Amino acid sequence: MNFSPLATRARSRAHFVAALLACVSLAACAATFAQSGRRQQKQPPLAPVPTPTPEPTPVPKEEKVEAKIPLVVVSEDTNYFVQQSNQSYAVQAVAVARLRESRAIEVSGDSARGSRGEAMRRAKESGGRHVVWFELRSFGMGQPARRLPPEEMLVEYSVFETGTAKRLSHGTIHMRRARGPLGGLGLPGCYPRLTNEVEYAIAGLEMAERIMESFSVPLPPRCAGR
């Protein structure tokens, strides 16, 4: 019998099986190497989560308190024979009430009387308080024997500096007729009414507001806080 073809086929089959086994082995090795490579790769470390820094507790700010302008209001005491004293009191009382509506001004509680010279002396000796002095007089140079209507009167005032009595400001207020068919006009009801002639009270309002403006103080609303 001739076994050559059989032997040849057997060898071919053996080579094929050997080649197949070699391929399987190579594939297995490649897979193993790939898995080994994946196992050896390290994941990058996670970035640390920053710990939030606590905000510092804000320190409460102290409310800045502005120094108030100290004043005392002095009225002339020598012209009572021209007008009744309650007219002068009305100018003074309303002026003081209006000045006290400003948060930047502090007015002394006393209702002072005195001449111009006494007001200047008081300013020099006041120890920190400016002196507002005013007088109520007529237009004419002389003193009339009769009592004049308000529209023929005026208010002259001066503000004397504390310590030096230097005149810081001054002015003249000419009173105008402020009465109508139903009585007094132009005066809010929150201010003192020491006379039926509201012109004097209105003059007190105007004097106080001029003084505030001379100190660059904003004018508060009239009757503020009342």
Side-chain angles (χ1 to χ4, degrees), residues 37-49:
R38 284 197 297 269
R39 284 196 300 269
Q40 291 178 358
Q41 290 179 355
K42 295 183 178 180
Q43 296 293 333
L46 296 176
V49 179

Side-chain angles (χ1 to χ4, degrees), residues 148 154 175 222:
L148 299 175
L154 57 80
M175 288 188 287
R222 289 183 175 181

Side-chain angles (χ1 to χ4, degrees), residues 10-225:
R11 284 196 297 272
S12 298
R13 184 176 298 173
H15 290 160
F16 173 77
V17 171
L20 181 60
L21 290 174
C23 290
V24 171
S25 297
L26 288 173
C29 289
T32 302
F33 179 78
Q35 291 178 358
S36 175
R38 284 197 297 269
R39 284 196 300 269
Q40 291 178 358
Q41 290 179 355
K42 295 183 178 180
Q43 296 293 333
L46 296 176
V49 179
T51 303
T53 304
E55 293 291 334
T57 303
V59 179
K61 295 182 179 179
E62 295 183 0
E63 184 178 353
K64 186 178 180 181
V65 179
E66 298 290 341
K68 292 187 176 183
I69 301 170
L71 299 176
V72 60
V73 180
V74 178
S75 64
E76 175 63 61
D77 61 354
T78 59
N79 288 338
Y80 288 162
F81 59 91
V82 179
Q83 298 294 100
Q84 296 178 359
S85 61
N86 61 334
Q87 274 74 28
S88 182
Y89 272 120
V91 175
Q92 186 176 25
V94 174
V96 168
R98 180 64 176 140
L99 288 168
R100 285 177 175 164
E101 290 178 333
S102 172
R103 300 178 62 181
I105 293 176
E106 179 187 13
V107 185
S108 173
D110 60 338
S111 298
R113 297 277 179 174
S115 65
R116 178 188 178 92
E118 291 170 342
M120 294 176 69
R121 178 185 56 80
R122 181 166 184 160
K124 290 180 180 179
E125 301 173 356
S126 64
R129 194 174 291 275
H130 306 303
V131 175
V132 177
W133 173 85
F134 76 93
E135 68 170 333
L136 184 65
R137 66 177 182 83
S138 65
F139 291 165
M141 297 299 294
Q143 301 296 343
R146 64 183 179 87
R147 188 172 181 276
L148 299 175
E151 58 266 29
E152 294 184 27
M153 300 293 293
L154 57 80
V155 174
E156 287 190 343
Y157 71 91
S158 297
V159 180
F160 298 113
E161 183 181 37
T162 176
T164 67
K166 174 184 175 182
R167 191 164 68 171
L168 298 177
S169 63
H170 63 95
T172 301
I173 300 168
H174 294 268
M175 288 188 287
R176 299 174 297 274
R177 188 72 174 170
R179 299 185 67 83
L182 300 180
L185 303 175
L187 179 69
C190 62
Y191 297 109
R193 291 177 177 268
L194 304 182
T195 172
N196 291 330
E197 297 168 302
V198 296
E199 290 86 354
Y200 295 97
I202 293 175
L205 281 178
E206 185 173 348
M207 181 175 71
E209 291 176 355
R210 287 192 190 183
I211 292 170
M212 284 189 273
E213 289 173 347
S214 72
F215 283 109
S216 299
V217 171
L219 296 181
R222 289 183 175 181
C223 298

